[in-house]
Amino acid sequence: MAATLTAPAPGAPARTAAGPNPGGWRTRWPLLPLIATVLLPAVPYAGGGGGPAVGPADVASGIAVLVCAGRLLYLRRRPLSAAAALVLGLPAVGFAVATLTAADPAAALPGLVRYLQVFVLVPVAVCLLLRDAHGFRIVAGALVLLALVQGVVGVDQYVTGTGASYMGEEVRAVGTFGPSDIMGMATVVAYGLLAAAACALRTPREAPAWLRPCAAVVAVALIVPLALSFSRGVWIATAAALLAALALTGRRQALTSLAVLGATGVVLVGGFGVGSEMITDRAASVTQVTRAPDRSVSDRYAMWSAAGRMWRERPAAGVGLKGFPAHRDAHASIGLSSGSDTAGAGQRFRRQTLLSPHNMYLLVLGEQGLIGLTAIVGSWAAILVGAVRRLVRARSRGHAAVDCGLLAVALMAWQSVNFLYSDIGGPTTVLTGVVLGLAAWWALAEPEKAGTT
């Protein structure tokens, strides 16, 4: 995904990737821990079934933070602008208040560490380790690679009947994440699909001729494992993110792209019958949540209600980080089941306890109150608005890094919508920090670094 890094000044010759990056990987080595953070969630580990909570990707993210801190101390440069520091540091206020006011602050400390890692430290590290648009594209390329590997595994699981259990059959595509992290594969495939789509919609100027059609083929191909994940929330978030990206590319290209996507869906589901009946039933269930909801939907609504009751009990600061499981039974209705059934993909039948409301906004509201929700949503809103504004300005001026802006907006839109149906947890959690960091780099980095001067 190498290309022109910054837009040339009027009348000046265009600079290629070889110009601004004479040192090659000698100057790019700080990106290695970021690339490892992106790729390592695919490595299975025992964290899902009561094992260690720290996975290989978490270790890599910690190394990235240490590398970032070491470079700052060595180079003695101002790390962030005042605006970027405010936006990225704001969520820490809510985390600190929720920890200090918790009934058991010591029990809330692991939650504080996790939230700081995902929502503050990793995004800051991404912002500071990315030197230019070329670095952004390298990390985006890692997202595509991860998505392709997981997508291939997921499709194989569906074809061979070795996936997670779904409607009595072991056909649900979950990749290497297993049935205990049912949304892991769908999440990474969605990230890769958006990265490939952004590259296809606005291919870097100096990219080879084959990159655009290749990116388009990859984006279309990733629709298959995404569909076979049967993850309704991820479907909705991906559709919303793609529509947002298409809307920002212009009406003509948006209509053409929508026609291609529609035709692809008809061919895959209607022509080849790729999970057609199951996908149709799953999609139809999105509109049946008030008429005849299945058990998973009923449990989700019960947990949403429980989070709301926790907030009403302590509206300012919530019940404390990691407090939802301890307060769930006291606030949930009797209709909430004891857990969800998971099986398949090499795992025996297991009853998985429901420990979160599967809605990030309600989780933050219940555990951190209005203070935490205002801080974290305010930060995300500032990143999204800043990313859109910079993208519109870069597109109008014909700058070279528009593909980075499209991906930043798409990822931030995806995360914002997906958090309506999910929260943090599992090996892909650290990727949330990477995604927020990519979006924040585009929205908040100095203009010359983002290629929008």
Side-chain angles (χ1 to χ4, degrees):
M1 301 182 113
T4 301
L5 304 184
T6 57
R15 294 184 297 171
T16 64
N21 186 31
W25 279 101
R26 286 180 297 175
T27 59
R28 299 287 179 191
W29 69 264
L31 292 178
L32 292 176
L34 289 183
I35 296 171
T37 302
V38 171
L39 298 179
L40 286 178
V43 178
Y45 73 103
V54 178
D58 297 307
V59 175
S61 72
I63 295 174
V65 172
L66 291 177
V67 168
C68 180
R71 283 174 58 81
L72 291 178
L73 292 174
Y74 176 75
L75 297 175
R76 298 182 181 276
R77 295 176 181 172
R78 187 181 68 175
L80 293 170
S81 67
L86 175 63
V87 170
L88 292 172
L90 187 59
V93 175
F95 306 155
V97 171
T99 302
L100 293 173
T101 59
D104 186 358
L109 279 177
L112 175 64
V113 173
R114 186 61 158 168
Y115 274 78
L116 286 175
Q117 174 206 12
V118 175
F119 297 114
V120 179
L121 296 179
V122 172
V124 168
V126 173
C127 282
L128 295 178
L129 293 178
L130 292 181
R131 297 174 58 244
D132 47 38
H134 184 68
F136 184 104
R137 291 169 185 141
I138 291 174
V139 178
L143 287 174
V144 175
L145 177 59
L146 175 64
L148 285 172
V149 172
Q150 292 299 311
V152 169
V153 175
V155 171
D156 178 73
Q157 288 171 334
Y158 174 82
V159 172
T160 60
T162 56
S165 179
Y166 177 74
M167 297 179 66
E169 300 181 57
E170 295 188 351
V171 294
R172 189 169 191 177
V174 292
T176 61
F177 299 102
S180 59
D181 186 20
I182 209 72
M183 293 182 64
M185 188 214 73
T187 297
V188 301
V189 167
Y191 289 156
L193 191 158
L194 294 175
C199 183
L201 290 171
R202 283 292 185 274
T203 309
R205 291 175 185 169
E206 301 300 323
W210 54 262
L211 182 59
R212 184 169 192 173
C214 183
V217 169
V218 168
V220 171
L222 288 174
I223 295 175
V224 177
L226 185 67
L228 297 179
S229 70
F230 302 114
S231 296
R232 293 167 295 196
V234 176
W235 291 350
I236 295 171
T238 306
L242 283 174
L243 288 174
L246 289 173
L248 291 167
T249 60
R251 183 175 61 182
R252 188 173 183 179
Q253 188 170 15
L255 292 175
T256 302
S257 301
L258 286 174
V260 171
L261 289 175
T264 302
V266 170
V267 171
L268 290 176
V269 178
F272 294 108
V274 180
S276 55
E277 184 176 352
M278 290 182 176
I279 292 173
T280 301
D281 292 342
R282 191 69 165 169
S285 68
V286 174
T287 62
Q288 296 173 354
V289 294
T290 58
R291 291 187 287 130
D294 57 32
R295 169 54 63 182
S296 65
V297 175
S298 299
D299 286 341
R300 182 167 300 190
Y301 272 89
M303 291 188 292
W304 287 6
S305 298
R309 292 189 182 100
M310 293 178 198
W311 167 68
R312 285 191 289 272
E313 184 179 283
R314 299 190 64 184
V319 298
L321 291 178
K322 295 293 184 180
F324 184 90
H327 293 79
R328 184 199 64 177
D329 292 340
H331 296 85
S333 66
I334 59 174
L336 179 65
S337 66
S338 59
S340 59
D341 300 335
T342 62
Q347 178 180 297
R348 295 180 179 179
F349 175 84
R350 179 185 299 170
R351 191 74 171 166
Q352 191 167 348
T353 308
L354 303 174
L355 300 177
S356 69
H358 296 292
N359 181 305
M360 191 65 199
Y361 303 105
L362 289 177
L363 178 63
V364 172
L365 186 65
E367 292 188 343
Q368 302 177 44
L370 283 176
I371 295 175
L373 185 67
T374 301
I376 200 165
V377 172
S379 173
W380 297 344
I383 293 173
L384 181 58
V385 171
V388 172
R389 289 182 60 186
R390 177 164 280 181
L391 174 59
V392 171
R393 185 166 61 247
R395 182 188 159 206
S396 65
R397 297 177 181 177
H399 290 298
V402 173
D403 59 303
C404 298
L406 273 180
L407 179 55
V409 172
L411 288 174
M412 199 64 205
W414 187 94
Q415 203 66 65
S416 300
V417 175
N418 190 64
F419 271 156
L420 292 170
Y421 307 95
S422 69
D423 46 51
I424 60 173
T428 59
T429 296
V430 70
L431 290 182
T432 303
V434 175
V435 164
L436 292 174
L438 290 173
W441 178 85
W442 172 260
L444 305 171
E446 296 176 4
E448 61 273 14
K449 291 183 178 181
T452 59
T453 52

